[in-house]
Amino acid sequence: MNIKSQCILLCFLISLAFKISFGQTKSTVRERILLKDGWKFFRYENATDTLIYDVRPEVNEDIDKREADARPVEGDKATAKQMVLKSWILPTGNDFLKDLAKHHKRPKGNPGENFPFVQHDFDDQKWESISIPHDWAIRKDFYKGWDAPIGGGMGRLPVHGVGWYRNKLEITNRDNNKSIYLDIDGAMSYAMVWINGKLAGGWPYGYTSFRINLTPYLKYGGENQIAIRIDNPPASSRWYPGAGIYRNVWLTKTSLTQVGHWGTHITAREISEKTAKVHLDVNVKNESDKSQKVKLITSCYHLDQNGKYGHKADFSFEPIEKNIPAEKDFVFQSAVLVNNPKLWGPAPEQIPNRYIAITKVYVGTELVDEYTTKFGIRSLKFDASKGLFVNGKSVVMKGVNQHHDLGSLGTAFNVSAAKRQLDMLLEVGCNAIRMAHNPPATELLELTDSLGFLVIDEIYDNWKLRKTPLDFHLIFDDWYEQDLRAFIRRDRNHPSIIMWSYGNEVGEQYTDQEGAILSSKLNDIVKEEDSTRPTTVSMNYAKAHMPFAKVADIISLNYQGEGIRNAPAYSHLKGITAPPSFPTFRQYHPDKMIVSSENAAAVSSRGEYYFPVFKENSAPVANGQGGNDEIAQVSSYELYTVPFGSSADKVFTTMDANPFVAGGFVWTGWDYLGEPTPYYQSKSSYFGIIDLAGFKKDRFYLYQSYWRSDFPMAHILPHWNWENSLNDTVPVHVFTSGDEGELFLNGKSLGTRKKHAGEYRLRWDDVRYQPGDLHVITYKNGKKWAENKVSTSREAYAIKMSADKNAIKRNTDDLIFVTVEVVDKNGLTVPTAKHELVFSIDGGAEIVATDNGDANDLTSFSSLKRNAFNGKALVIIKGLKNYEGNAKIWVKSEGLLKGEIELNVN
């Protein structure tokens, strides 16, 4: 052996001795492996199997014909006439049932063991090869017409049916004497898992993250076959639910003595800029067959803006020792006083500082587990008169509601796409998000933590009473406690979460004392899991004097604050009616903070403008009143709403008149798939401040003018291309954070307008159209503030492309979003352009999806041909695996100069 070889061997032995002495060998510490690739997928087209979770009632209702705020009702019952697998699935949730007497015992037998898809030797080579996260419906064709199997409410895509996923797991002999779990972050829905032909468990609610213990079913020293069945019913949602395993899947390997699933809880009390008392609870499980002497050591490090941390701990908890009996668990509790804590606070006024706790579990002197927990130190105060205080500073919630889909990417979670959404919300001035109406991806909460958003985390859209025939009410009685506890344990360490919402517009609002009793039961569960945050339930019907409103800590009102169908323009409509109700709720509940958890529900289509324009500040959309039934579009003058809604202007008026309200959440921040009110033959909503493709509607600037009052801005609408309207009246509105403005047409002043009390826009409603330039100069407190110009474009000439970044990471889910615009010879966007665009790509990337933000465009998101919508379209690019170099994207259209852009794949 030469000297070099001797040195290498010596270094290896020293390293091995070091690892053994400190318990850091790979065979003893936790492994968390992302199961992204290698999956095979199959969905039944015309047939199915009999491996059902439970029977369901027949559907005899068109959910698209139901009013969005209609009263929930009792669900139909169904009787099982065949074997169902519910009894084998229920034990998966036992860890989340407090009462041991209610734990479910697994029956004898192994349902499905002879079914081919769960067998190791089944040939799945003809199945589709996919990566997870996966949405099986999003790249398919849209259904059209009223008789579609999936209508507009659920997004007109084939989300329904049964899908199977198969993959092989390599389990080595070194994994023996370990606990091995499958962690599924989200599967839509009724997931059931087989491993080596054995039914291991499952979870029916499609939004809950859950864990399956694979250990009893594994074969060591070779391949193990996993098979997952997903069963997604039609008529089960009021929005696009997605389909399949749409969030990450992990293989987790631990010692038999380990930190339990979501087993840490870190809270802070007595917080100031000088000190904070940080409390730590750690649940440690001993799954071995003998008692273990366990020692726990936890150190905490400050995270920088990139989520990195140094070698020296900022603070540590005192080590704790405890004997844990065989097959038992124990909650270790500790506290430490932290000097000069770096506080987490909402952007932009405060800094979202975060820490990471590294918990090490020793049995004797051997390190057997290491578990990390990210958290923040911050104080919250909820004042009935003055609203929310974070770290002693008043914060008005400028919030939006967000559904969980990512537009043309569907529900398959992607960090790049989610970050793009949040960045644009920051730009408009948003500082808070309500997760409507279900737990989000954990990665989304990582983003809200790091970017400094406030979050209302929500779990249920209904309880026992149904909104759609096959929604969660079917499994509520069996699963509400498990879902609720799992939801909170998973999310409770995220500092961005400031309150828990355990219901949205539930039917139990209507059932007086009975509904209040059920609400109290759910409220108690939340408090048992986390007493540091307040609870809430959003109410669109329950009135201030009703028992339902007394239960939760925070009063959350959907649309009631500014009034429902109460303005003159809404007087002819049927449905829930309510006067502006903030004062009444304050009178009945003087000790509770009030939040406008859903407001506005205004609708518009980017770049569409119809005349005449409504003279007041809010009106329900109708054909000829802001709506065009022929092309299923809504005017972008941003005055029109759904029947139960209000315009932004009306909402602002009410919020300003009731300063005790802690803030509001717009319905919605972004357009989302499904619920295309008022045009249910479309595919996506019209509610967003930002359209489905990520292009700003005019309403974006209206909210920016209100939320960012110190930011100099002005925005003119409409566009100025009205070639067939010479000398016709074209109303001009300006959204500005200033308080007055002067409008010029081709250099000639059209007069000055000022904002008066209760006004949030400047209106010149009598402008006669002449082509050329519209220019506005705005003022604030008498001083020049901001200006904006729109010009009549010439005829379409070329295609312009711009990307949100120049390089893309290969072998990742990193995405680039490329905006495509139809422009004239001067580079001005042609705001009425509807040209057909043809997309192509060459090199180290692929086109993932195309879109244009048009809710009524039923072109598949996978299509490489798409019309521009009012001058714009979007193409989403992803790097190919194992490719380094450049990628070039072309967009062509007949009669136009082609557009091209080159991107780096690195």
Side-chain angles (χ1 to χ4, degrees):
M1 182 180 294
N2 59 35
I3 294 176
K4 183 178 179 180
S5 299
Q6 290 176 0
C7 289
I8 292 173
L9 178 60
L10 179 61
C11 290
F12 171 75
L13 292 174
I14 292 173
S15 174
L16 182 62
F18 181 88
K19 288 180 179 178
I20 291 174
S21 66
F22 287 92
Q24 292 185 353
T25 58
K26 189 176 180 180
S27 60
T28 58
V29 296
R30 176 180 297 254
E31 292 181 80
R32 193 164 184 253
I33 303 163
L34 181 63
L35 300 181
K36 179 176 181 57
D37 297 317
W39 292 90
K40 291 288 188 176
F41 170 74
F42 172 80
R43 174 176 174 259
Y44 293 109
E45 294 290 339
N46 300 309
T48 186
D49 54 56
T50 59
L51 300 174
I52 62 173
Y53 172 83
D54 201 359
V55 294
R56 303 184 188 119
E58 290 189 14
V59 178
N60 298 305
E61 176 185 340
D62 184 350
I63 63 174
D64 281 357
K65 300 293 177 66
R66 186 179 183 275
E67 285 289 338
D69 64 339
R71 177 176 176 170
V73 297
E74 289 278 357
D76 296 328
K77 306 296 183 183
T79 303
K81 297 180 180 179
Q82 65 182 94
M83 181 179 180
V84 297
L85 277 59
K86 180 169 74 170
S87 297
W88 283 265
I89 302 303
L90 283 167
T92 305
N94 280 346
D95 285 348
F96 303 97
L97 289 170
K98 182 180 179 180
D99 186 351
L100 297 179
K102 293 182 179 179
H103 281 206
H104 299 279
K105 185 177 180 180
R106 181 186 171 100
K108 294 181 180 179
N110 181 39
E113 62 184 337
N114 296 320
F115 190 71
F117 294 177
V118 309
Q119 303 302 315
H120 189 279
D121 58 359
F122 174 75
D123 184 3
D124 58 16
Q125 291 306 301
K126 293 183 179 180
W127 286 19
E128 183 182 357
S129 295
I130 59 100
S131 295
I132 286 177
H134 176 243
D135 180 339
W136 79 49
I138 195 61
R139 294 180 64 82
K140 303 298 184 182
D141 292 335
F142 288 96
Y143 294 117
K144 299 178 181 179
W146 287 114
D147 297 326
I150 299 294
M154 289 178 65
R156 296 198 165 273
L157 285 167
V159 294
H160 60 303
V162 172
W164 281 86
Y165 294 82
R166 283 170 52 92
N167 207 343
K168 290 180 169 57
L169 308 177
E170 187 70 27
I171 305 296
T172 69
N173 288 320
R174 290 184 305 170
D175 295 321
N176 206 353
N177 206 35
K178 288 185 178 181
S179 294
I180 299 180
Y181 308 100
L182 190 73
D183 292 330
I184 298 178
D185 288 349
M188 189 63 64
S189 50
Y190 292 94
M192 297 190 286
V193 179
W194 282 260
I195 180 75
N196 296 324
K198 307 292 185 181
L199 179 58
W203 205 285
Y205 189 41
Y207 297 104
T208 302
S209 301
F210 62 96
R211 164 171 283 185
I212 302 292
N213 186 359
L214 301 181
T215 314
Y217 312 105
L218 293 174
K219 298 176 183 177
Y220 296 89
E223 285 185 344
N224 289 256
Q225 181 65 54
I226 187 169
I228 303 174
R229 183 186 188 273
I230 305 297
D231 186 359
N232 213 27
S236 60
S237 179
R238 299 190 298 127
W239 57 83
Y240 179 75
I245 305 177
Y246 65 101
R247 294 178 184 163
N248 284 329
V249 176
W250 307 85
L251 187 69
T252 301
K253 302 178 183 180
T254 72
S255 166
L256 295 179
T257 304
Q258 65 194 257
V259 175
H261 192 31
W262 304 318
T264 59
H265 188 195
I266 300 177
T267 58
R269 303 165 197 169
E270 302 168 30
I271 300 165
S272 71
E273 292 183 354
K274 293 182 178 180
T275 60
K277 194 170 185 180
V278 179
H279 294 254
L280 170 69
D281 292 355
V282 182
N283 176 260
V284 177
K285 297 176 66 176
N286 176 15
E287 294 188 335
S288 71
D289 57 4
K290 60 182 179 181
S291 178
Q292 301 283 10
K293 185 178 181 181
V294 175
K295 183 177 182 180
L296 201 73
I297 297 176
T298 300
S299 299
C300 300
Y301 304 79
H302 179 253
L303 294 171
D304 65 20
Q305 291 182 341
N306 298 314
K308 306 295 183 182
Y309 58 94
H311 297 290
K312 184 178 179 181
D314 287 67
F315 59 92
S316 299
F317 294 88
E318 287 292 326
I320 315 172
E321 289 189 86
K322 173 72 178 179
N323 284 318
I324 303 180
E327 299 180 349
K328 298 292 183 181
D329 60 356
F330 178 78
V331 177
F332 290 76
Q333 295 181 317
S334 185
V336 62
L337 186 67
V338 179
N339 292 316
N340 302 313
K342 296 178 175 66
L343 301 182
W344 184 97
E349 290 83 5
Q350 301 184 44
I351 300 172
N353 289 297
R354 294 180 299 154
Y355 290 90
I356 186 169
I358 300 178
T359 299
K360 295 183 178 182
V361 181
Y362 292 85
V363 172
T365 60
E366 180 185 11
L367 176 64
V368 296
D369 196 15
E370 187 172 299
Y371 190 90
T372 61
T373 309
K374 293 177 182 177
F375 67 101
I377 300 173
R378 47 95 177 106
S379 69
L380 300 174
K381 180 183 176 182
F382 302 86
D383 189 283
S385 298
K386 299 179 180 179
L388 173 68
F389 289 79
V390 183
N391 302 322
K393 299 173 183 177
S394 176
V395 178
V396 176
M397 285 179 278
K398 304 168 184 177
V400 300
N401 286 270
Q402 287 285 92
H403 269 302
H404 74 304
D405 74 78
L406 296 168
S408 58
L409 300 174
T411 58
F413 189 79
N414 180 276
V415 172
S416 293
K419 175 73 161 48
R420 177 177 178 247
Q421 288 193 343
L422 295 179
D423 285 342
M424 291 188 69
L425 291 174
L426 285 173
E427 183 185 352
V428 77
C430 171
N431 66 0
I433 296 175
R434 176 171 174 250
M435 301 297 179
H437 304 288
N438 46 262
T442 54
E443 293 86 353
L444 181 56
L445 292 173
E446 285 274 335
L447 289 171
T448 57
D449 288 346
S450 64
L451 294 173
F453 283 91
L454 303 169
V455 170
I456 298 179
D457 207 0
E458 189 164 80
I459 183 170
Y460 299 135
D461 187 47
N462 61 280
W463 299 342
K464 290 187 176 185
L465 299 176
R466 73 170 180 87
K467 294 181 179 177
T468 61
L470 302 180
D471 63 22
F472 179 62
H473 81 279
L474 295 175
I475 53 175
F476 181 84
D477 283 334
D478 287 334
W479 284 93
Y480 70 86
E481 182 180 354
Q482 302 94 307
D483 280 312
L484 192 49
R485 293 189 190 276
F487 156 66
I488 295 173
R489 289 182 199 176
R490 190 198 73 167
D491 291 353
R492 62 190 175 186
N493 291 311
H494 289 280
S496 57
I497 297 172
I498 60 168
M499 67 181 83
W500 303 111
S501 173
Y502 58 88
N504 172 67
E505 300 180 358
V506 296
E508 284 74 7
Q509 294 177 96
Y510 296 81
T511 60
D512 200 65
Q513 195 63 41
E514 181 182 350
I517 291 171
L518 179 54
S519 180
S520 294
K521 183 184 295 186
L522 299 174
N523 188 74
D524 289 347
I525 292 173
V526 175
K527 291 298 188 181
E528 288 172 3
E529 293 295 330
D530 177 29
S531 61
T532 69
R533 296 175 177 91
T535 58
T536 194
V537 178
S538 291
M539 299 173 287
N540 68 327
Y541 168 79
K543 304 301 184 287
H545 65 277
M546 294 180 178
F548 192 89
K550 299 177 182 179
V551 179
D553 299 324
I554 303 290
I555 298 292
S556 285
L557 301 180
N558 287 6
Y559 311 107
Q560 292 195 66
E562 59 269 21
I564 301 174
R565 299 181 176 91
N566 69 303
Y570 299 78
S571 61
H572 63 288
L573 300 173
K574 296 180 180 179
I576 296 171
T577 59
S581 54
F582 288 140
T584 307
F585 274 89
R586 178 159 172 73
Q587 177 186 350
Y588 275 85
H589 306 279
D591 58 338
K592 290 188 177 186
M593 193 179 85
I594 298 175
V595 173
S596 181
S597 46
E598 282 183 33
N599 61 41
V603 285
S604 60
S605 305
R606 175 185 52 80
E608 294 286 318
Y609 306 94
Y610 308 139
F611 313 130
V613 174
F614 190 68
K615 296 297 184 181
E616 305 300 325
N617 72 353
S618 188
V621 64
N623 192 40
Q625 182 174 272
N628 186 327
D629 290 1
E630 185 176 344
I631 59 173
Q633 304 295 353
V634 182
S635 175
S636 271
Y637 276 95
E638 309 299 3
L639 293 167
Y640 304 102
T641 78
V642 296
F644 55 85
S646 298
S647 70
D649 305 66
K650 186 185 175 194
V651 171
F652 297 161
T653 302
T654 312
M655 297 293 287
D656 287 348
N658 298 278
F660 57 85
V661 179
F665 293 79
V666 182
W667 191 267
T668 55
W670 282 58
D671 276 339
Y672 56 93
L673 289 166
E675 204 169 26
T677 310
Y679 298 115
Y680 271 79
Q681 295 209 49
S682 297
K683 69 176 186 294
S684 60
S685 82
Y686 299 75
F687 291 113
I689 295 171
I690 301 164
D691 75 18
L692 200 70
F695 301 136
K696 300 168 185 174
K697 299 182 184 180
D698 292 287
R699 205 170 342 132
F700 179 98
Y701 301 97
L702 179 55
Y703 277 97
Q704 189 179 65
S705 71
Y706 184 70
W707 282 342
R708 299 181 66 182
S709 59
D710 293 333
F711 175 61
M713 57 79 61
H715 174 78
I716 297 173
L717 65 144
H719 62 72
W720 210 238
N721 278 38
W722 302 98
E723 60 183 34
N724 297 320
S725 301
L726 189 65
N727 293 318
D728 288 349
T729 299
V730 177
V732 175
H733 292 191
V734 172
F735 302 148
T736 179
S737 50
D739 50 38
E740 67 176 307
E742 185 174 10
L743 185 68
F744 300 86
L745 176 56
N746 296 325
K748 180 181 178 180
S749 176
L750 299 183
T752 299
R753 300 286 188 272
K754 292 185 178 182
K755 291 182 185 176
H756 300 288
E759 294 180 348
Y760 302 91
R761 62 177 73 198
L762 304 175
R763 298 178 65 149
W764 288 262
D765 284 331
D766 55 356
V767 177
R768 297 284 183 173
Y769 176 72
Q770 293 287 335
D773 298 327
L774 266 182
H775 180 211
V776 69
I777 300 175
T778 65
Y779 300 85
K780 192 163 189 173
N781 299 322
K783 295 182 180 180
K784 186 175 178 181
W785 182 247
E787 54 189 310
N788 185 227
K789 183 174 77 171
V790 295
S791 301
T792 307
S793 71
R794 301 171 69 180
E795 65 180 17
Y797 176 74
I799 295 171
K800 176 184 174 183
M801 300 174 67
S802 58
D804 66 336
K805 56 189 176 186
N806 296 321
I808 190 169
K809 299 174 184 176
R810 64 189 175 98
N811 297 333
T812 71
D813 286 331
D814 192 23
L815 299 174
I816 288 180
F817 296 84
V818 179
T819 297
V820 180
E821 296 176 88
V822 178
V823 299
D824 67 9
K825 277 191 174 184
N826 297 320
L828 286 178
T829 301
V830 180
T832 56
K834 302 283 199 301
H835 295 67
E836 183 183 66
L837 307 174
V838 180
F839 303 84
S840 58
I841 191 167
D842 185 35
E846 63 178 327
I847 293 175
V848 178
T850 64
D851 195 9
N852 58 16
D854 180 359
N856 194 41
D857 184 351
L858 299 185
T859 307
S860 170
F861 289 130
S862 62
S863 175
L864 299 183
K865 290 183 179 181
R866 179 177 301 280
N867 288 351
F869 180 59
N870 293 330
K872 292 186 176 183
L874 177 76
V875 57
I876 305 175
I877 308 298
K878 178 181 177 182
L880 293 172
K881 290 183 179 180
N882 304 315
Y883 185 100
E884 189 166 353
N886 291 339
K888 185 173 286 188
I889 303 100
W890 292 272
V891 181
K892 299 179 181 179
S893 183
E894 186 175 350
L896 303 182
L897 293 180
K898 71 178 180 181
E900 61 181 70
I901 192 169
E902 192 165 331
L903 305 171
N904 182 254
V905 182
N906 58 36

